């Protein structure tokens, strides 16, 4: 997974402000860290949590100006030791680069994935019905839903027409209606990081990765940075009923973030986020390989609009939040029997990469077989208090 760790870094290397969370075996807890050319440095004496850092007026400048603590290793060493199968647990490794923030996700924000969500709903979670359902829907409503601006008069007219034909869907409502879908992906600190195993429910037979750009937002609702994410999804479960969204989305290891959080500065701006391309490759132990691209240029709602629909006078996040931007990647290529489409197999390696954010790499296993999540908010507070890190933070 990490034969060449340089490919896990952004194309411009250490030019940006890269933030990591690193598990320190000697401390039995995590530290916020700055990733630099000459090493990864502990910032926990200045910022006990990433949430605290992001609430600075200029998080990137604050991170660069903070007094550096111990050198935890090089970026290459930490990346290599983060791979679960080869980890030396006496040495530091990378975690998901966020902590107290709520983990939210915007759904159905790309036209191509919007059509696939309607297919899931109409097929009732049965992959064998997906092909005929997809063809029927394209004949009726077309495939170029990307030309319809959400909440516009044209969208309202299309809605009225589809209702008359009995084709309206809850997914079309959030895809082209005025209100975006924003849901809770998982609990704070339940996300896994680079090299960790990601989990799918053992009862699922139709599932896929969702490669996404994930923005980090502070308590004031301000964009602070971005990272890569995998919103692992069970298509058969969600297809049976949208009310099963929690079961489809929130399982042990079903949310991956990383490899680092890149803070906004002169080298990485909102325009870079809006123009980002996110590539994904799935490589199976059976020799199967597939991939695709998720282009932020094609998103139906702007980044700032999605942030504004998440936080405001209606809903506050005192510890900030991270927000998955959605995906246009919905693989339909048959992996097994004809008409069954794509689904994960145990041992798949999922690589998600973007030029400015590096690469997030994880291996797939069943949720009940990977490491359980045991270090939550209470454990973090107790650990930071024991280390004397809460007094100034």
């Amino acid at each position: 997974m990490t034969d060449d760790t340089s490919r896990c870094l952004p194309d411009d290397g250490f030019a940006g402000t890269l933030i990591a969370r690193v598990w320190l075996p000697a401390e039995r807890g995590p530290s916020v860290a700055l990733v630099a050319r000459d090493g990864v440095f502990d910032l926990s004496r200045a910022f006990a949590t990433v949430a605290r850092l992001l609430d600075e007026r200029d998080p990137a400048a604050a991170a660069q100006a903070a007094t550096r603590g111990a050198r935890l290793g090089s970026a290459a060493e930490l990346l290599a030791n983060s791979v679960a199968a080869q980890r030396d647990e006496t040495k530091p490794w990378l975690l998901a680069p966020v902590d107290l923030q709520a983990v939210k996700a915007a759904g159905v924000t790309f036209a191509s994935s919007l059509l696939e969500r309607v297919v899931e709903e109409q097929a009732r979670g049965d992959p064998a019905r997906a092909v005929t359902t997809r063809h029927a829907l394209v004949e009726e409503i077309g495939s170029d839903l990307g030309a319809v601006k959400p909440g516009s008069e044209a969208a309202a007219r299309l809605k009225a027409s589809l209702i008359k034909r009995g084709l309206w869907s809850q997914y079309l409502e959030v895809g082209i209606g005025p209100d975006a879908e924003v849901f809770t992906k998982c609990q704070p600190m339940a996300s896994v990081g680079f090299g960790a195993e990601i989990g799918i429910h053992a009862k699922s037979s139709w599932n896929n990765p969702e490669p996404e750009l994930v923005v980090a937002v502070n308590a004031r609702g301000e964009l602070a940075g971005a990272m890569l994410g995998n919103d692992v999804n069970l298509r058969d479960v969600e297809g049976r009923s949208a009310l099963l969204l929690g079961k489809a989305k929130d399982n042990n290891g079903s949310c991956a973030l990383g490899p680092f959080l890149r803070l906004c500065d002169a080298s990485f701006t909102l325009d870079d986020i809006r123009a980002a391309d996110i590539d994904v490759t799935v490589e199976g132990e059976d020799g199967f390989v597939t991939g695709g691209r998720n282009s932020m240029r094609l998103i139906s709602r702007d980044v700032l609009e999605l942030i504004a629909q998440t936080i405001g006078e209606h809903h506050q996040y005192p510890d900030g939040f991270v927000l998955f931007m959605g995906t246009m990647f919905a693989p339909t290529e048959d992996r097994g029997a004809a008409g069954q489409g794509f689904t994960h197999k145990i041992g798949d390696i999922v690589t998600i990469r973007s030029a400015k954010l590096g690469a997030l790499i994880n291996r797939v296993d069943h949720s009940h077989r990977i490491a359980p999540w045991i270090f939550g908010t209470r454990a973090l507070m107790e650990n930071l208090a024991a280390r004397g890190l809460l007094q100034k933070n």
Side-chain angles (χ1 to χ4, degrees):
M1 289 174 62
T2 55
D3 292 338
D4 179 10
T5 54
S6 64
R7 71 189 180 106
C8 303
L9 294 169
D11 285 357
D12 57 357
F14 302 98
T17 305
L18 305 177
I19 299 299
R21 279 179 72 244
V22 180
W23 183 265
L24 304 180
E27 301 288 356
R28 298 183 181 179
S31 278
V32 181
L34 178 69
V35 182
R37 188 177 305 277
D38 53 344
V40 179
F41 295 91
D42 190 342
L43 297 185
S44 59
R45 290 292 165 185
F47 304 105
T49 64
V50 177
R52 172 65 182 84
L53 169 61
L54 299 192
D55 274 347
E56 290 287 309
R57 286 298 171 185
D58 186 340
Q64 295 288 1
T67 301
R68 297 183 181 186
R71 185 180 185 275
L72 306 177
S74 68
E77 288 169 340
L78 265 70
L79 285 162
N81 198 47
S82 298
V83 179
Q86 62 190 45
R87 179 176 301 154
D88 179 350
E89 295 195 351
T90 68
K91 298 178 180 179
W93 67 85
L94 296 172
L95 304 170
V98 295
D99 38 48
L100 299 178
Q101 296 92 339
V103 183
K104 311 292 287 188
V108 203
T109 54
F110 290 87
S112 56
S113 62
L114 165 57
L115 182 64
E116 284 304 305
R117 287 291 180 266
V118 180
V119 168
E120 288 171 13
E121 180 186 43
Q122 297 291 324
R124 296 293 187 268
D126 181 0
R129 296 173 55 187
V131 175
T132 56
T133 302
R134 188 178 298 110
H135 288 163
L137 284 168
V138 169
E139 287 181 4
E140 288 288 345
I141 66 178
S143 59
D144 190 19
L145 290 170
V148 180
K149 180 176 175 58
S152 65
E153 291 184 5
R157 290 194 296 271
L158 176 59
K159 176 179 179 177
S161 173
L162 292 174
I163 288 175
K164 286 183 179 179
R165 287 185 279 168
L167 290 173
W168 190 244
S169 160
Q170 57 204 335
Y171 294 107
L172 287 164
E173 177 64 48
V174 296
I176 65 175
D179 299 313
E181 178 191 18
V182 179
F183 60 92
T184 296
K185 170 61 180 177
C186 66
Q187 296 301 303
M189 295 196 300
S191 305
V192 299
F194 174 94
E197 292 183 311
I198 49 176
I200 54 174
H201 200 290
K203 292 184 178 179
S204 174
S205 59
W206 187 22
N207 46 69
N208 63 271
E210 293 194 354
E212 304 187 28
L213 187 143
V214 185
V215 296
V217 181
N218 65 22
R220 297 185 296 275
E222 299 164 345
L223 174 67
M227 70 205 99
L228 296 172
N230 189 347
D231 174 16
V232 183
N233 181 50
L234 310 183
R235 298 189 71 179
D236 45 4
V237 174
E238 186 177 357
R240 283 162 46 204
S241 170
L243 298 181
L244 292 173
L245 182 67
K247 189 177 184 68
K249 293 287 190 180
D250 187 7
N251 298 289
N252 183 34
S254 65
C255 178
L257 295 170
F260 312 113
L261 168 61
R262 184 164 187 170
L263 300 182
C264 292
D265 58 15
S267 73
F268 185 65
T269 67
L270 174 60
D271 287 340
D272 290 309
I273 291 173
R274 286 171 168 157
D277 291 324
I278 298 97
D279 294 313
V280 60
T281 304
V282 179
E283 302 170 89
E285 293 179 344
D286 56 356
F288 177 88
V289 178
T290 191
R293 169 164 287 187
N294 184 25
S295 177
M296 288 293 290
R297 296 178 183 86
L298 300 178
I299 198 168
S300 60
R301 302 180 197 266
D302 186 64
V303 173
L304 295 185
E305 178 190 348
L306 289 170
I307 291 173
Q309 288 216 28
T310 305
I311 189 172
E313 62 182 5
H314 55 282
H315 203 161
Q316 295 78 46
Y317 292 88
D319 296 310
F321 64 94
V322 300
L323 181 63
F324 281 77
M325 290 284 102
T327 188
M328 59 186 294
F329 179 70
T332 59
E333 179 183 356
D334 286 335
R335 187 169 190 176
Q340 292 293 310
F342 169 86
T343 193
H344 268 309
K345 292 189 177 181
I346 301 306
D348 282 354
I349 301 296
V350 182
T351 301
I352 300 171
R353 196 179 194 286
S354 187
K356 289 274 189 171
L357 297 172
L360 173 64
I361 307 176
N362 301 96
R363 179 186 180 275
V364 175
D365 203 341
H366 285 141
S367 292
H368 70 282
R369 298 199 328 188
I370 67 177
W373 175 42
I374 58 175
F375 194 90
T377 304
R378 182 176 63 181
L380 175 64
M381 293 299 105
E382 290 174 349
N383 179 266
L384 295 177
R387 293 158 63 187
L389 297 178
L390 294 181
Q391 296 161 0
K392 293 183 179 180
N393 290 283

